[in-house]
Amino acid sequence: MHSIRTRLSVLFILIVSVILGLSGIYSHYQLSRDLDRRFEQLRHGLITRLQISLPSALWDLDEAKVNSIIAAEMLAPEVRGIRVYDSAVNLFTGKMRDDAGKVVPVPPSVKISGQQVETDLYFQGGGVSDATGQSTQVGRVVVYFSREDIDAALRAEWLRKVAEVLVVDVGLVLALILSLRMAFDPLEQLRDALFDLAQHDSEEVEELPDNRRDEFGDVVRGFNQIQRKLKSVIERRRQAEHEAREASRKTEQAYVELKAAQDSLLQSEKLASLGGLVAGVAHEINTPVGVSLTSASVLKEATEHIRRSLDEGAVRKSEITAYIDTADESARLIMANAERAAHLIQSFKQIAADQTSEVRRKFDLHEYIDEVITSLHPKIKHTKAQIEVTCPNNVLMDGYPGAFAQVLTNLTINALTHAFEPDLPGTISIQVALHDSMISLEFSDDGKGIGADNLSRIFDPFFTTRRGQGGTGLGLNIVYNIITQQFGGAIAVQSELGRGTRFTLRFPQVAPVLAQV
């Protein structure tokens, strides 16, 4: 079960089943309480009425009146039988309900099934006493109650809830399958195209159809632009290589021209490194996809734990509450990081096309920073790093929240990757201040720092100290472009080896409006 689609379907079924199951258990519990309460009210009311009505008739030895009183009280199907004894504890009269439900006289030797409740009957003058005053005991009454109807009602309610869970699960799963198809089919098409582009020359790979008019259509058009630009770069590189080979055959007098051709070739090689952009797509989106996978794994472990507890019959309310909290948090993280993955793909499109189109809105800066840090928790928890955020409340930013999240994500992942030694603690500090509609954000760590030789190059595209280890060199370049171009601000860095690194970002509270293409 390695498919994300399959895991999402299973996760959805589990969450819906658990929620409906809990709802059914609660409804069953409430129904049981209501039925038990009504049953108790019936028992108490019947005994009270018999204590009031029977003593007078029993005192007068009026068997017909006693039988009529008993017959009236046996209208409720829960009453299986009533026996009335005189003061000598001899059976005076009684009635019972036969197998057909008919009320018939009860023989003295017949045993009546059900819960037995008995009470003494007292007569005092013209009224009834509770045996504490001057009264005479005239007899005893025994009432037999049955819970068969209550048990049948509870069983029927339980079966109805089970059927409801099954029907709702089937309906929602069908809806989920159709929804996931709409999302995953274009992604699979793009994935196949990326594999083809990575395994073959760009000339052999056909462009994807770009007739869609939704978000996936934008991604496909961005991919096609990257592919066209890559073809152009490769063609220019081939042309430069050809010129270099021709220049190498020339005489010593053509050395200056050969040198110029070599410089041109180096420039073309730099441009040709855009081919690494395609491979960088998989690396850059690995973080949000990894967070989603980690969240799904956490939810799976919580589900297995609660299932074991259910199988053992020792589940506690605290465990169920903890499981619901875990499921809610994991679902939120999966949704948040899926959106971040879409923003990362959009960012690669922006680099390739040198144009951008980003939805802007107002958002609370403090809340959004907390949300981004929370979405990175599955990545942070595998390290010993701590993140401290200092930001005033109610600072509204009018800009591009997706791009801002990408800036924080890239800076955080960069610090976790490069700043700290494995298994050693560290601290990342994010401090925000607002001055005259200008936001100042300092992102610092107390890690290893950056050497002077590399400090001036960290914002260059494709510059990385971990070439061959998964680094693409695009993270800080993307941060630089977003802050300087999309937010109309500036970014600076200060660092010394062994004393950590500080990035200082300054940008207006209201981001400039980008030109629409």
Side-chain angles (χ1 to χ4, degrees):
M1 192 174 62
H2 296 290
S3 169
I4 295 178
R5 183 186 306 188
T6 302
R7 279 179 285 187
L8 286 176
S9 300
V10 172
L11 173 63
F12 188 79
I13 293 173
L14 290 175
I15 293 176
V16 171
S17 298
V18 169
I19 293 175
L20 292 179
L22 293 175
S23 174
I25 292 173
Y26 180 75
S27 299
H28 186 270
Y29 170 72
Q30 288 293 106
L31 177 61
S32 177
R33 286 186 58 188
D34 292 342
L35 293 176
D36 287 341
R37 184 169 58 252
R38 289 199 296 270
F39 184 70
E40 183 61 29
Q41 290 173 350
L42 171 66
R43 291 198 312 176
H44 182 268
L46 190 147
I47 294 298
T48 301
R49 289 192 299 272
L50 290 177
Q51 287 177 330
I52 296 173
S53 58
L54 283 179
S56 176
L58 196 58
W59 176 267
D60 297 333
L61 300 178
D62 190 346
E63 183 177 354
K65 185 176 180 181
V66 172
N67 284 331
S68 65
I69 293 173
I70 294 175
E73 294 297 345
M74 288 190 65
L75 293 177
E78 289 85 358
V79 182
R80 302 295 299 175
I82 300 177
R83 280 192 171 110
V84 179
Y85 297 89
D86 57 20
S87 58
V89 196
N90 295 319
L91 179 64
F92 184 76
T93 187
K95 291 186 179 294
M96 63 176 288
R97 197 179 303 277
D98 61 13
D99 294 337
K102 184 178 180 182
V103 178
V104 297
V106 56
S109 60
V110 173
K111 183 178 180 181
I112 304 175
S113 62
Q115 297 181 3
Q116 177 177 326
V117 179
E118 59 182 81
T119 183
D120 294 331
L121 301 175
Y122 293 89
F123 180 78
Q124 180 181 19
V128 179
S129 174
D130 57 359
T132 61
Q134 297 297 324
S135 60
T136 302
Q137 180 176 352
V138 295
R140 170 173 294 188
V141 62
V142 181
V143 184
Y144 300 88
F145 295 92
S146 173
R147 290 180 54 89
E148 292 179 358
D149 292 342
I150 294 177
D151 295 337
L154 292 176
R155 286 195 297 270
E157 176 66 14
W158 182 254
L159 292 176
R160 188 185 71 80
K161 281 296 180 181
V162 171
E164 179 182 342
V165 170
L166 293 177
V167 171
V168 173
D169 269 348
V170 170
L172 292 179
V173 167
L174 291 177
L176 178 65
I177 291 174
L178 294 176
S179 302
L180 291 179
R181 242 184 114 179
M182 296 174 59
F184 279 91
D185 286 352
L187 286 178
E188 291 175 354
Q189 185 182 23
L190 180 61
R191 177 202 62 192
D192 294 339
L194 288 172
F195 279 128
D196 288 342
L197 188 59
Q199 296 172 1
H200 303 88
D201 291 337
S202 58
E203 292 84 354
E204 301 176 8
V205 181
E206 296 183 358
E207 294 184 2
L208 296 175
D210 58 356
N211 53 354
R212 297 177 66 101
R213 290 295 177 266
D214 52 16
E215 292 83 354
F216 289 107
D218 295 336
V219 174
V220 170
R221 284 186 284 276
F223 172 79
N224 289 337
Q225 284 185 335
I226 293 175
Q227 187 175 350
R228 287 193 292 269
K229 190 164 187 177
L230 184 59
K231 290 180 180 179
S232 175
V233 171
I234 292 176
E235 181 62 29
R236 282 185 288 174
R237 185 184 66 181
R238 290 175 179 174
Q239 182 179 358
E241 290 174 349
H242 176 72
E243 293 177 356
R245 285 193 297 268
E246 290 297 325
S248 65
R249 300 187 187 99
K250 294 182 181 180
T251 61
E252 188 68 19
Q253 290 78 11
Y255 175 78
V256 176
E257 296 179 1
L258 179 59
K259 184 65 176 176
Q262 290 174 341
D263 292 340
S264 177
L265 177 61
L266 291 176
Q267 182 65 22
S268 297
E269 288 288 346
K270 183 176 180 180
L271 293 176
S273 62
L274 281 174
L277 180 62
V278 176
V281 171
H283 171 71
E284 290 295 330
I285 67 174
N286 183 60
T287 298
V289 171
V291 173
S292 299
L293 291 177
T294 302
S295 300
S297 176
V298 170
L299 182 58
K300 182 175 182 295
E301 292 178 1
T303 302
E304 291 175 351
H305 175 73
I306 198 69
R307 179 178 295 168
R308 286 195 299 270
S309 298
L310 286 172
D311 292 339
E312 295 171 358
V315 64
R316 297 190 300 271
K317 180 179 179 181
S318 60
E319 292 179 330
I320 296 177
T321 303
Y323 174 75
I324 294 175
D325 293 340
T326 301
D328 181 69
E329 179 68 8
S330 299
R332 190 186 69 78
L333 289 176
I334 291 172
M335 291 297 298
N337 283 277
E339 294 175 358
R340 285 184 50 237
H343 280 294
L344 288 173
I345 295 174
Q346 180 69 16
S347 297
F348 280 104
K349 173 188 171 183
Q350 293 168 0
I351 295 174
D354 293 329
Q355 297 288 342
T356 184
S357 175
E358 177 81 20
V359 176
R360 64 181 295 156
R361 64 178 174 85
K362 293 182 179 180
F363 58 96
D364 186 286
L365 201 58
H366 194 178
E367 292 180 358
Y368 202 73
I369 291 175
D370 289 341
E371 182 176 334
V372 174
I373 298 304
T374 299
S375 69
L376 292 172
H377 176 70
K379 179 72 174 176
I380 299 170
K381 72 177 184 179
H382 293 297
T383 70
K384 292 189 176 181
Q386 296 182 348
I387 298 182
E388 300 176 351
V389 178
T390 302
C391 178
N393 294 323
N394 302 322
V395 176
L396 289 180
M397 174 74 186
D398 186 356
Y400 307 91
F404 182 76
Q406 187 176 355
V407 168
L408 279 184
T409 299
N410 286 3
L411 288 175
T412 303
I413 297 301
N414 185 73
L416 295 176
T417 303
H418 298 281
F420 306 115
E421 292 290 347
D423 300 326
L424 291 181
T427 301
I428 296 174
S429 175
I430 302 174
Q431 297 184 344
V432 179
L434 177 63
H435 303 287
D436 298 330
S437 298
M438 288 294 294
I439 295 175
S440 174
L441 188 150
E442 287 191 358
F443 185 99
S444 60
D445 63 72
D446 57 358
K448 294 184 292 186
I450 304 172
D453 294 338
N454 296 330
L455 194 60
S456 61
R457 304 171 58 196
I458 60 173
F459 295 123
D460 291 346
F462 311 109
F463 171 75
T464 178
T465 58
R466 293 201 172 189
R467 185 72 63 188
Q469 302 179 26
T472 63
L474 289 172
L476 291 180
N477 179 255
I478 292 174
V479 171
Y480 179 84
N481 288 333
I482 290 176
I483 294 299
T484 58
Q485 298 178 19
Q486 196 165 355
F487 284 88
I491 181 172
V493 59
Q494 295 176 332
S495 182
E496 292 181 19
L497 287 176
R499 303 189 64 179
T501 302
R502 175 185 289 108
F503 292 89
T504 302
L505 290 66
R506 286 182 55 82
F507 46 90
Q509 189 175 5
V510 179
V513 178
L514 299 178
Q516 300 294 323
V517 179

